[in-house]
């Protein structure tokens, strides 16, 4: 099964890439953003992020990133 809108993904640092994984820990995709260096720095400083799937268009997903601690 693929991803669904409103699905919550974990965000992880894998080498020099930021990736999203589903609840089973399976790779969902790479995170691309103009602020990638800032995001990596935050993750390296210990901030845990989640990605909320907003829109799915074929193999491309639009997600909203936010610190896991802000999610309710």
């Amino acid at each position: 099964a693929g991803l669904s809108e409103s699905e919550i993904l974990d965000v992880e640092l894998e080498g020099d890439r930021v990736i999203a994984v589903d609840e089973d820990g399976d790779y969902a995709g790479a995170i691309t953003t103009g602020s990638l260096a800032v995001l990596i720095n935050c993750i390296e400083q210990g901030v845990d992020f989640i990605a909320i799937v907003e829109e799915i268009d074929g193999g491309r997903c639009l997600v909203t990133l936010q610190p896991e601690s802000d999610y309710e």
Side-chain angles (χ1 to χ4, degrees):
L3 298 176
S4 304
E5 289 184 8
S6 301
E7 187 168 348
I8 307 297
L9 304 171
D10 288 322
V11 176
E12 299 179 355
L13 189 58
E14 183 180 78
D16 60 352
R17 299 185 326 148
V18 178
I19 63 166
V21 296
D22 67 15
E23 63 184 6
D24 296 324
D26 294 329
Y27 176 80
I31 302 290
T32 57
T33 172
S35 305
L36 193 59
V38 174
L39 179 60
I40 289 171
N41 185 50
C42 289
I43 294 170
E44 287 175 336
Q45 303 252 344
V47 179
D48 292 323
F49 283 87
I50 58 169
I52 303 168
V53 178
E54 301 290 345
E55 183 180 313
I56 300 170
D57 181 15
R60 185 175 169 270
C61 274
L62 176 66
V63 298
T64 297
L65 295 173
Q66 69 182 52
E68 188 173 28
S69 60
D70 291 352
Y71 183 71
E72 296 180 19

